[in-house]
Amino acid sequence: MIRALDATFGAVGRGYLALARTVGGIVVLFGRILRAMVPPRFDRDETWRNLYDVGVKSFPIVVVTALFVGAIMVIQSAFYVKRTGATGLLGYGVGFSVFAEIGPILIGLMFSGRVGANTTAQLGTMVVTEQVDALRTLAIDPIRYLVVPRFVTMLLMMTLLMVLGDAFAVLGAAGTADAMLGVDWRVLVQGLLEAHFLDEFFMGVVKASCFGVSISVISCFYGLNVRGGAVGVGRAVNASVVANAAAIFVLDFVIGTLYTVM
Amino acid sequence: MVNDVHVAPPAPPRWYESLFIAVGAPFTAVGRELRGDVALAFAALGAIFRGAAGRRAVVQQAYAVGNRSLFFITATLGFLGLISVYQVATQIQQILPDFSMLGAAFIQLMIREFAPTITGLMIATRVGSGIAAEIGSMVVTEQVDALRMCNADPVEYLVAPRVLGSVVMVPMLSIYAVLVATLAGMALGHAVFDIPTQTFLSLRLVKGPDIVLGLVKAVSYGFWIPIVAAHAGLSATGGSAGVGWATTRAVVATSFAVVLLDFVISGASYVIFSV
Amino acid sequence: MIEFIDIHKRFGEKRVLEGVSITVEAGRVLYLIGTSGAGKSVLVKHLVGLLRPDSGRIVLDGQDITGLSEAAFYAVRRKCAMVFQHSTLFDSMTVLDNVALPYRKHARMKRAEANERALEKLALVGMREAAWRLPAEIGAGLQKRVAIARALTLDPQFVIFDEPTTGLDPLAAKHVDDLIRSLRNDTGVTAIVVSHDIRSIFTVADRIAMIYQGGIRLDGTPDDFRRSDDPVVRQFITGRPDGPMVI
Amino acid sequence: MSAAAAPGAHDGAVLRAEGLGKRFAGGWVLEGVDLALHPGEIVGLVGQGGHGKSVLLKCLAGLLAPDAGRVVAFGEDLATLSSVRLAKVREAYGYVFQNYALFDFMTVADNVAFPLRQRGDADERAVKALVRERLAEVGLAAAVGLYPRELSGGMKKRVGLVRATVTDPDVILYDDPSAGLDPVTSSKIFELIARMQERRAGSAAIVVSHDIDRMRAICARYVMLERGRVVFEGGEEDVAGAPRAVSDFFDLDGAGVLA
């Protein structure tokens, strides 16, 4: 009995220790990134390449996700709208649920899947093929050269993509509302404007920038800590997307609560 | 040895060429991807109906998909429940403080939409990338070729058990997700907004079709996630970079598949059954 | 001069190095030999700070570098370059960009100037024509030469080669051997080469040290090795399948 | 093996490539390769890195489908076989992979037993006994219960070798069996290859390697590939008359470094 208790608590304890180590490592990395950013000397080539990679490659998936999110929101409320005839609710719903809640979460998840996983795979591959060690032997600091450009890029791109995503979500919602309910797009936009949509819009963008920070730090952390060859890279990508998803939900809650309290 | 190298850099494509390539590439890529997924789905179904998936392997995979995702689903869906109730209740409070319908609407929306879809997305992330990483590293370390040389069909041996395990476990996890999110939402509603638990726990709005819709979604995510992920893993090429790209591709493709399926199933059910 | 003094290193339960001492004199090429997993690569990685010893000291050109911080090690790495076993070229960059990177990062050169200097280094290893290709487009033998060019960009005094001919076909291996030899003769670098390619060892080395079971089994000239009657050394250099060696 | 048809139906060759071509995105990797493997011989397949040796081996095993020409094994064109028939033919093959390709979720013993169990007709006790015996033969009796990740490179190579040969196949394909190993371990591996060959008289093998010195001991005939084409075929005695690039590769005068 005591042995069983011991085993259970041991496992739980070990789990928490591992979690603490990971979170600690991520925080330390975040600190090192910030320190490496003063003085702000970026490698121009590496930053440009990343801006292009991240921006261009995640553009289609963000657009498509946003269109679908807008559309699905309308489909979900179609039933009520049809029964009650309260077409004004559509715009309100899009503003509130898409701009402030579901939009940032889904776009954050997609971004972490596309860009975060990619970053972990890239850095992880560089670690197991000893390219990161090679950088160090060429007396180049991997944090400054590899991580800082990715951090800056993701922060910037996630914010921009969120703004873009909002626009496409409205488009998707308007298209679906027109096709399924015969509601004119102007009605939807009217509802949106009446519903203090700027508040929600800013909240969504703030969330998105925070997700950009967490995604970049977490995926770089898992990438730089890969061990054990090709198998290790795959495992690290897996762990990285899981951690990113968890972080997005936790951050979303924290920011949402802080926002309403303030 | 050296004489086969260029003397000058190759001419870069003209800007309009790169534009066409950039616009066209995603379509051809998605097309190719879909064709591969569907072919693999048929192969896996064939293997399942032949009874080729070993019982032990299926149980093992069900454990990997289900039990080992419990903590993750609890955390993410729990927070989703907290967030949604908090946000919606704050909104309602500003208009008129009548929370009587909040719980009922919340539970209905969870069952038909959020529990299966967010669970699906989370499983796509956790399990999808895991499957791609496992199978991808088996491909680049030539273990899949070794399986074939030993007369073990990789689809029977690797894909079919994962599909079966996931088809069973994703609906289970979705049901579990409804409970977790509802409990979290109810606790928050009670603590912050004084909503009585009996008022919150109302199944007034939940109709049969909602439950069917939620389950259909969960089952189809459960089927397609391992297929899409395994396809990404099996197409891995070359070294450690290959496994990384395969895993990345799996995350994107499986998440995307979930969003797409959600749209298609929700749309179809509205158009056909008006629910 | 490079001095390893009584280096101990273990990974978890596994003791890899148990008191290794080696001295390499300036301008010489030392070959470090031993079975796979004997700790040859582990030893040389201490010199560029990729690994830290559990005990013992490393002295480079009279400077004790054992306890240097990661930041302080960057100065050491400028004069001590390393060519890795798998070339480790940055695969997203062209051959030219790979070699020009250290110039751009350290000497703050303009792109045109950095490229020009990089092309000079590439010409040194006979790879100027391949400058605009990506690493993946050229074979392993050519990648190795580019990696050597990149390691030479900061004009290092010391160069470490980790298994430079492993996995190369005989012709490519011979090219790499010739490069190492001409490097010593023309620029006077001090080199440590980790290898178990018997042919390269006996055609290039000034001095050979054999690591066996955590310590140095024999340290001497190629002739010392040819004449040695230690059964372990004999078995290794003749490559006989049976003998006293534990593998 | 049951898969082998009567000799004479295919002029004695167990395995034959006819005008074999394979194309990847970058262009042709193999072009017009003709090759025949006769019972009882070991052919050394040599050439520079990245010039198509591994691809050729995979085509010969039916792991890659050729884009031109055909592979005939035991008198049957691999491309025309049904999956059931192909499986039957593959039972006559053994394949030693370059990177070991051990199943990392199985113990050493299960890895070796896997090809036997896959045939379905074997008695479990006989399988276990055979696996133990074969592993003991290569000095791995103590490793039966270990997982591949707990083994050194040389040990993994030996396990791969035993797994490929435990069914006593007619054709064994070795993809760079000594890559990255030190001289002593390499010699051990080549010694094992020779022993496998002796066990089953009439079985044939192709060995891909850069290790010319060690191949001399076991190969009677060599095939050299350059940019996907066969540039040399013959025994050691024919090297002298071959083009410079070939004789350089075999480096006949370089063997005396120890003298």
Side-chain angles (χ1 to χ4, degrees):
Chain A
M1 179 64 195
I2 290 189
R3 196 167 303 159
L5 274 180
D6 203 38
T8 319
F9 283 109
V12 171
R14 266 192 298 281
Y16 274 105
L17 276 183
L19 187 66
R21 243 196 312 274
T22 308
V23 173
I26 289 169
V27 171
V28 168
L29 179 65
F30 189 37
R32 287 175 67 192
I33 293 173
L34 292 182
R35 210 175 52 204
M37 285 176 72
V38 220
R41 279 206 308 244
F42 304 125
D43 187 272
R44 221 177 23 178
D45 286 22
E46 188 69 13
T47 312
W48 261 121
R49 189 165 44 226
N50 274 298
L51 279 172
Y52 176 83
D53 264 17
V54 170
V56 172
K57 281 189 187 155
S58 33
F59 178 79
I61 190 151
V62 165
V63 167
V64 176
T65 310
L67 282 173
F68 279 134
V69 170
I72 290 167
M73 278 301 120
V74 171
I75 295 176
Q76 290 302 340
S77 43
F79 180 64
Y80 303 104
V81 173
K82 205 158 205 181
R83 206 172 51 179
T84 59
T87 48
L89 267 180
L90 279 178
Y92 180 81
V94 168
F96 171 63
S97 57
V98 178
F99 281 19
E101 278 306 323
I102 300 304
I105 288 190
L106 278 186
I107 288 176
L109 285 176
M110 285 300 175
F111 190 84
S112 99
R114 184 75 190 82
V115 180
N118 213 335
T119 302
T120 307
Q122 238 173 18
L123 294 185
T125 304
M126 291 186 74
V127 169
V128 299
T129 57
E130 296 184 298
Q131 290 179 54
V132 171
D133 280 348
L135 266 185
R136 289 166 68 197
T137 59
L138 292 169
I140 297 168
D141 178 12
I143 301 281
R144 202 180 283 263
Y145 181 72
L146 293 175
V147 179
V148 169
R150 284 173 171 77
F151 174 80
V152 174
T153 305
M154 284 193 226
L155 172 55
L156 202 67
M157 278 300 169
M158 185 65 209
T159 316
L160 288 178
L161 286 171
M162 187 63 226
V163 176
L164 198 81
D166 284 344
F168 278 93
V170 174
L171 205 68
T176 319
D178 196 8
M180 282 180 56
L181 301 165
V183 175
D184 192 66
W185 64 271
R186 266 162 287 197
V187 176
L188 189 119
V189 172
Q190 190 65 36
L192 193 61
L193 290 176
E194 280 166 8
H196 310 287
F197 83 105
L198 268 182
D199 280 356
E200 265 100 40
F201 172 77
F202 279 123
M203 173 150 152
V205 172
V206 167
K207 280 182 179 174
S209 336
C210 294
F211 295 164
V213 170
S214 77
I215 292 170
S216 67
V217 179
I218 290 175
S219 11
C220 287
F221 172 81
Y222 280 98
L224 289 177
N225 286 290
V226 166
R227 294 282 172 277
V231 185
V233 177
R235 281 209 197 108
V237 175
N238 186 352
S240 158
V241 287
V242 169
N244 267 320
I248 283 173
F249 279 95
V250 174
L251 272 179
D252 187 71
F253 176 71
V254 172
I255 299 167
T257 316
L258 285 181
Y259 213 86
T260 23
V261 170
M262 293 183 328
Chain B
M1 215 154 114
V2 187
N3 56 6
D4 63 336
V5 295
H6 288 299
V7 175
R14 310 292 285 267
W15 68 268
Y16 54 85
E17 287 173 341
S18 10
L19 187 72
F20 281 129
I21 293 169
V23 173
F27 288 101
T28 53
V30 168
R32 234 192 340 260
E33 172 84 39
L34 274 180
R35 224 169 331 149
D37 289 339
V38 172
L40 185 59
F42 277 113
L45 281 177
I48 291 170
F49 285 122
R50 275 199 307 279
R55 180 195 294 258
R56 234 183 68 199
V58 174
V59 171
Q60 220 168 25
Q61 292 305 330
Y63 180 82
V65 174
N67 300 38
R68 306 197 54 193
S69 302
L70 270 182
F71 177 75
F72 185 50
I73 296 292
T74 310
T76 48
L77 269 295
F79 271 106
L80 183 77
L82 294 179
I83 301 162
S84 328
V85 170
Y86 189 81
Q87 296 292 345
V88 176
T90 321
Q91 296 284 326
I92 293 176
Q93 216 168 21
Q94 286 165 6
I95 308 164
L96 75 165
D98 170 21
F99 296 124
S100 57
M101 288 297 282
L102 174 65
F106 175 85
I107 292 172
Q108 188 212 17
L109 206 55
M110 270 297 153
I111 289 177
R112 57 178 285 155
E113 173 63 26
F114 286 116
T117 302
I118 300 290
T119 306
L121 271 177
M122 293 302 107
I123 293 300
T125 315
R126 206 196 80 83
V127 177
S129 65
I131 289 177
E134 265 169 31
I135 296 185
S137 36
M138 287 188 70
V139 169
V140 303
T141 56
E142 298 180 301
Q143 289 180 58
V144 170
D145 280 342
L147 275 179
R148 292 167 66 196
M149 285 316 288
C150 296
N151 277 339
D153 177 22
V155 175
E156 280 178 15
Y157 206 82
L158 299 174
V159 184
R162 286 173 168 78
V163 171
L164 272 181
S166 157
V167 156
V168 175
M169 289 318 274
V170 173
M172 303 265 193
L173 284 173
S174 301
I175 296 169
Y176 173 74
V178 173
L179 295 179
V180 170
T182 307
L183 284 180
M186 182 187 79
L188 185 122
H190 185 72
V192 181
F193 300 96
D194 281 329
I195 308 172
T197 48
Q198 305 92 298
T199 321
F200 192 92
L201 281 183
S202 149
L203 295 177
R204 252 185 306 167
L205 291 177
V206 180
K207 300 284 183 307
D210 294 319
I211 298 173
V212 172
L213 185 60
L215 283 178
V216 167
K217 284 181 182 175
V219 169
S220 46
Y221 303 153
F223 179 74
W224 283 105
I225 288 169
I227 294 279
V228 174
H231 179 228
L234 286 173
S235 347
T237 47
S240 40
V243 185
W245 302 148
T247 314
T248 305
R249 211 179 101 195
V251 181
V252 177
T254 47
S255 315
F256 193 67
V258 169
V259 175
L260 186 73
L261 283 170
D262 182 25
F263 173 74
V264 170
I265 297 172
S266 301
S269 97
Y270 181 81
V271 171
I272 303 170
F273 307 108
S274 300
V275 286
Chain C
M1 200 159 83
I2 305 168
E3 291 167 87
F4 291 99
I5 303 163
D6 198 27
I7 302 291
H8 285 77
K9 179 75 184 174
R10 58 197 280 180
F11 294 101
E13 287 299 298
K14 203 173 161 211
R15 297 203 169 113
V16 179
L17 301 177
E18 295 179 288
V20 171
S21 302
I22 304 180
T23 305
V24 191
E25 272 153 45
R28 293 304 178 89
V29 176
L30 172 94
Y31 266 69
L32 207 53
I33 65 175
T35 51
S36 318
K40 303 172 305 252
S41 302
V42 170
L43 183 67
V44 292
K45 280 185 180 170
H46 283 82
L47 202 57
V48 283
L50 295 177
L51 291 173
R52 301 305 173 99
D54 296 335
S55 72
R57 290 193 307 130
I58 304 152
V59 182
L60 189 68
D61 240 4
Q63 182 199 4
D64 189 332
I65 59 168
T66 320
L68 292 184
S69 69
E70 175 72 14
F73 240 110
Y74 280 111
V76 174
R77 287 172 187 152
R78 285 182 195 212
K79 57 180 185 180
C80 186
M82 176 152 177
V83 179
F84 288 82
Q85 186 177 350
H86 297 290
S87 302
T88 65
L89 297 180
F90 306 121
D91 35 28
S92 55
M93 301 181 188
T94 61
V95 163
L96 182 65
D97 286 340
N98 259 286
V99 182
L101 182 72
Y103 285 127
R104 290 198 294 110
K105 297 268 55 161
H106 292 296
R108 311 230 138 261
M109 284 182 193
K110 286 268 174 279
R111 179 173 279 279
E113 195 191 349
N115 283 356
E116 198 175 311
R117 295 280 293 276
L119 281 173
E120 282 170 25
K121 289 291 180 212
L122 281 171
L124 205 67
V125 297
M127 289 295 295
R128 195 184 166 106
E129 288 75 17
W132 289 277
R133 291 205 147 188
L134 288 172
E137 298 171 347
I138 61 179
L142 302 193
Q143 282 182 16
K144 190 70 80 175
R145 290 203 239 165
V146 176
I148 294 175
R150 189 181 65 186
L152 297 179
T153 44
L154 300 176
D155 295 318
Q157 252 174 294
F158 307 95
V159 185
I160 301 164
F161 295 89
D162 192 359
E163 304 209 10
T165 58
T166 299
L168 299 190
D169 62 77
L171 280 180
K174 212 183 282 178
H175 272 290
V176 171
D177 285 346
D178 291 344
L179 258 174
I180 295 176
R181 206 171 1 202
S182 63
L183 204 62
R184 173 197 51 194
N185 295 343
D186 303 344
T187 58
V189 300
T190 310
I192 299 183
V193 185
V194 170
S195 178
H196 38 57
D197 184 341
I198 295 294
R199 197 171 297 223
S200 335
I201 294 165
F202 282 99
T203 46
V204 188
D206 293 318
R207 204 177 170 79
I208 305 173
M210 178 170 175
I211 297 193
Y212 183 64
Q213 295 186 330
I216 297 290
R217 185 76 179 198
L218 180 63
D219 180 359
T221 63
D223 275 334
D224 292 339
F225 270 78
R226 284 196 189 96
R227 282 196 297 266
S228 166
D229 47 14
D230 179 341
V232 169
V233 173
R234 288 236 51 93
Q235 190 194 347
F236 188 84
I237 62 175
T238 54
R240 275 197 315 268
D242 10 65
M245 236 173 166
V246 182
I247 49 171
Chain D
M1 259 319 100
S2 54
H10 37 85
D11 69 344
V14 279
L15 194 58
R16 174 186 291 284
E18 294 170 1
L20 199 66
K22 179 72 195 170
R23 188 173 49 188
F24 287 122
W28 289 91
V29 182
L30 291 178
E31 262 187 292
V33 173
D34 293 310
L35 185 135
L37 183 67
H38 299 277
E41 71 171 346
I42 303 183
V43 172
L45 183 58
V46 297
Q48 292 171 33
H51 282 224
K53 301 183 302 279
S54 294
V55 174
L56 175 55
L57 228 50
K58 293 212 163 157
C59 285
L60 289 177
L63 290 171
L64 287 173
D67 294 314
R70 57 190 201 135
V71 175
V72 181
F74 312 106
E76 296 189 85
D77 182 351
L78 287 186
T80 64
L81 296 180
S82 69
S83 61
V84 180
R85 192 82 193 103
L86 183 64
K88 206 72 200 146
V89 170
R90 277 212 184 112
E91 287 187 359
Y93 274 97
Y95 199 117
V96 178
F97 290 88
Q98 191 171 4
N99 304 309
Y100 329 115
L102 301 183
F103 304 121
D104 44 25
F105 49 91
M106 292 183 194
T107 62
V108 166
D110 286 339
N111 259 288
V112 176
F114 191 74
L116 293 170
R117 287 182 186 146
Q118 256 338 91
R119 302 185 165 196
D121 52 354
D123 157 44
E124 187 58 31
R125 286 216 347 236
V127 166
K128 282 210 168 107
L130 182 61
V131 166
R132 266 176 196 286
E133 180 198 321
R134 291 293 171 93
L135 281 170
E137 228 174 284
V138 298
L140 288 172
V144 262
L146 297 181
Y147 281 89
R149 60 175 174 275
E150 301 168 287
L151 307 179
S152 73
M155 291 163 90
K156 282 189 216 168
K157 266 276 148 66
R158 279 181 272 166
V159 176
L161 212 74
V162 174
R163 185 179 67 186
T165 53
V166 71
T167 55
D168 290 333
D170 292 316
V171 176
I172 313 177
L173 307 173
Y174 296 93
D175 195 353
D176 218 346
S178 69
L181 299 177
D182 61 72
V184 176
T185 316
S186 303
S187 301
K188 275 227 162 91
I189 297 288
F190 273 85
E191 194 192 53
L192 285 175
I193 294 176
R195 210 191 300 163
M196 298 295 168
Q197 218 63 22
E198 281 160 20
R199 182 184 352 256
R200 227 183 92 78
S203 74
I206 299 180
V207 181
V208 169
S209 179
H210 294 315
D211 209 338
I212 302 286
D213 293 341
R214 289 189 180 77
M215 285 167 98
R216 282 200 179 97
I218 59 168
C219 298
R221 199 156 66 86
Y222 298 90
V223 173
M224 180 163 169
L225 282 184
E226 195 172 305
R227 268 172 237 167
R229 294 174 170 280
V230 175
V231 291
F232 172 76
E233 188 174 355
E236 181 106 36
E237 65 282 359
D238 305 319
V239 171
R244 182 71 206 279
V246 175
S247 56
D248 266 4
F249 201 88
F250 284 88
D251 190 32
L252 291 170
D253 50 4
V257 285
L258 286 176

